[in-house]
């Protein structure tokens, strides 16, 4: 069975503990973790394999003070890409980010500093985003004479709505702190985004893997379906998940009154 030691990575570092809590680190701090073509290939390699390697939850974090500065603009300039070359590169970004969003393993992004352009596309492919006081979000594509190519038109529009996304792209508007939470760019604002991300990852990893698989793939798939098909797919997923052996003990605990009740403060 493949282990995290088998990955050959230049720009990412991957570790997994005995509980399957996995850390994926963007390790290109000198370039503010800008996404060059090689890093995108490494994201594909890692997120294609982690779900089959026993990962129960992933914390996506970054070295340095910025989460990710987006597309590697220096590489893009040097390569002087033709339209079809960039189109194919975008397809690789989509491959990486779809593996994340649809992979069935919870991914918690621990954010800090710049989460901009393609960095926001990366963060929006995680299932939960945790910001700290330094975190800021922007889509500077307009000012750079570019357009989003890593799924922002789908995922960022999904988070903040079409009008806000268009404003961000036209004007370079930056969202941070409480305002970023209010518009939906992150779900948590804390002092230490990594500590919180691990807390969330450990809590999520307590759920049966099949439940997490459904939560971290079915909801996204169903959003792409008609309401009629989504309702059908939901019934099939619930049929499998809600009858799994792993839920029997949990249901028994509720029935015999040993399980925690769903009340504030009872975690
Ligand atoms: C980079 C990149 C990058 C930094 N590509 N090399 N993204 C942007 O428009 C954001 C561009 N970056 C910045 O605005 C700033 O770098 C930061 C605010 C993120 C950080 O500022 P700072 O002062 O800490 O660092 P710096 O001095 O600007 O950069 C340090 C180094 O990182 C420097 O390299 P060096 O070799 O001269 O030391 C920078 O060149 C390098 N660096 N950001 C390449 N993005 C699929 S389409 C997606 C389209 C987009 O993502 S558009 C948004 C692009």
């Amino acid at each position: 069975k493949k282990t995290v030691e088998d990955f050959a990575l230049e720009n990412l570092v991957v570790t997994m503990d005995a509980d399957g809590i996995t850390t994926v680190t963007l390790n290109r701090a000198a370039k503010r973790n800008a996404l060059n073509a090689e890093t995108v290939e490494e994201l594909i390699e890692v997120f294609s394999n982690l779900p089959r390697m026993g990962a129960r939850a992933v914390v996506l974090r970054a070295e340095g003070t910025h989460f990710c500065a987006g597309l590697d603009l220096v590489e893009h300039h040097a390569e002087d890409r033709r339209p079809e070359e960039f189109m194919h590169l975008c397809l690789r970004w989509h491959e990486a980010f779809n593996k994340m969003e649809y992979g069935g393993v919870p991914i918690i992004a621990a954010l800090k500093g710049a989460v901009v352009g393609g960095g926001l596309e990366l963060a929006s492919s995680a299932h939960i985003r945790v910001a700290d006081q330094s975190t800021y979000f922007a889509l500077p594509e307009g000012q750079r004479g570019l357009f989003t190519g890593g799924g922002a038109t789908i995922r960022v529009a999904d988070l903040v709505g079409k009008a806000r996304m268009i404003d961000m792209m036209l004007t370079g508007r930056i969202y941070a702190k409480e305002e970023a939470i209010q518009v939906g760019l992150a779900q948590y604002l804390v002092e230490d985004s990594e500590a919180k991300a691990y807390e969330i990852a450990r809590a999520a990893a307590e759920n049966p893997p099949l439940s997490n698989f459904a939560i971290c793939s079915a909801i996204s798939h169903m959003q792409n379906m008609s309401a009629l098909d989504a309702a059908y797919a939901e019934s099939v997923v619930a049929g499998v998940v809600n009858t799994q052996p792993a839920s029997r003990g949990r249901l028994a605990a509720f029935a015999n009154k040993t399980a925690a009740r769903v009340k504030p403060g009872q975690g």
Side-chain angles (χ1 to χ4, degrees):
K1 194 172 154 193
K2 202 173 172 113
T3 72
V4 294
E5 280 83 38
D6 297 323
F7 289 131
L9 305 167
E10 287 286 325
N11 307 289
L12 304 176
V13 176
V14 182
T15 58
M16 191 187 297
D17 75 10
D19 300 323
I21 307 296
T22 305
T23 304
V24 176
T25 299
L26 305 172
N27 194 28
R28 225 180 151 226
K31 301 295 178 187
R32 307 304 183 257
N33 299 311
L35 298 173
N36 56 2
E38 191 182 42
T39 305
V40 174
E41 293 303 317
E42 292 182 12
L43 287 168
I44 295 171
E45 165 78 359
V46 167
F47 285 106
S48 302
N49 283 289
L50 281 182
R52 289 173 290 131
M53 293 166 60
R56 297 287 299 263
V58 178
V59 171
L60 176 64
R61 63 174 293 279
E63 284 300 316
T65 50
H66 296 283
F67 177 73
C68 178
L71 173 69
D72 188 319
L73 298 170
V74 176
E75 177 183 76
H76 184 54
H77 178 243
E79 295 270 318
D80 197 16
R81 295 175 172 118
R82 297 187 314 254
E84 66 273 26
E85 288 174 325
F86 197 74
M87 182 188 75
H88 285 299
L89 179 65
C90 290
L91 292 178
R92 300 305 283 164
W93 283 56
H94 295 317
E95 180 74 9
F97 296 169
N98 288 339
K99 289 290 182 224
M100 294 171 60
E101 182 181 351
Y102 295 90
V105 176
I107 302 172
I108 326 300
L111 304 175
K112 57 186 163 183
V115 184
V116 305
L120 178 50
E121 296 182 304
L122 171 64
S124 66
S125 307
H127 301 100
I128 296 181
R129 279 156 295 285
V130 183
D132 70 4
Q133 295 294 332
S134 74
T135 306
Y136 62 96
F137 302 88
L139 293 172
E141 277 83 347
Q143 284 106 326
R144 303 275 185 227
L146 303 173
F147 190 72
T148 57
T153 53
I154 303 142
R155 294 191 185 89
V156 178
D158 225 29
L159 291 179
V160 303
K162 181 171 70 175
R164 282 199 192 92
M165 182 184 172
I166 291 174
D167 178 22
M168 289 172 80
M169 288 191 70
L170 286 177
T171 66
R173 180 169 181 170
I174 291 173
Y175 284 103
K177 302 186 196 234
E178 282 81 9
E179 199 185 18
I181 302 290
Q182 278 159 22
V183 301
L185 285 162
Q187 291 106 308
Y188 297 87
L189 175 65
V190 294
E191 282 306 311
D192 185 339
S193 56
E194 279 187 27
K196 185 69 181 175
Y198 281 105
E199 182 190 318
I200 295 167
R202 280 189 289 270
E206 295 290 318
N207 303 331
L210 190 59
S211 296
N212 283 346
F213 178 82
I215 294 163
C216 295
S217 66
I219 296 168
S220 291
H221 276 291
M222 284 161 190
Q223 286 206 329
N224 302 328
M225 299 178 191
S226 68
L228 190 67
D229 289 333
Y232 174 75
E234 185 188 70
S235 73
V236 175
V237 172
V240 175
V241 173
N242 296 10
T243 58
Q244 65 178 314
S247 67
R248 290 292 302 162
R250 293 165 190 253
L251 295 172
F254 183 81
N256 68 28
K257 300 195 184 298
T258 57
R261 263 44 192 169
V262 182
K263 290 182 185 173
Q266 296 200 9

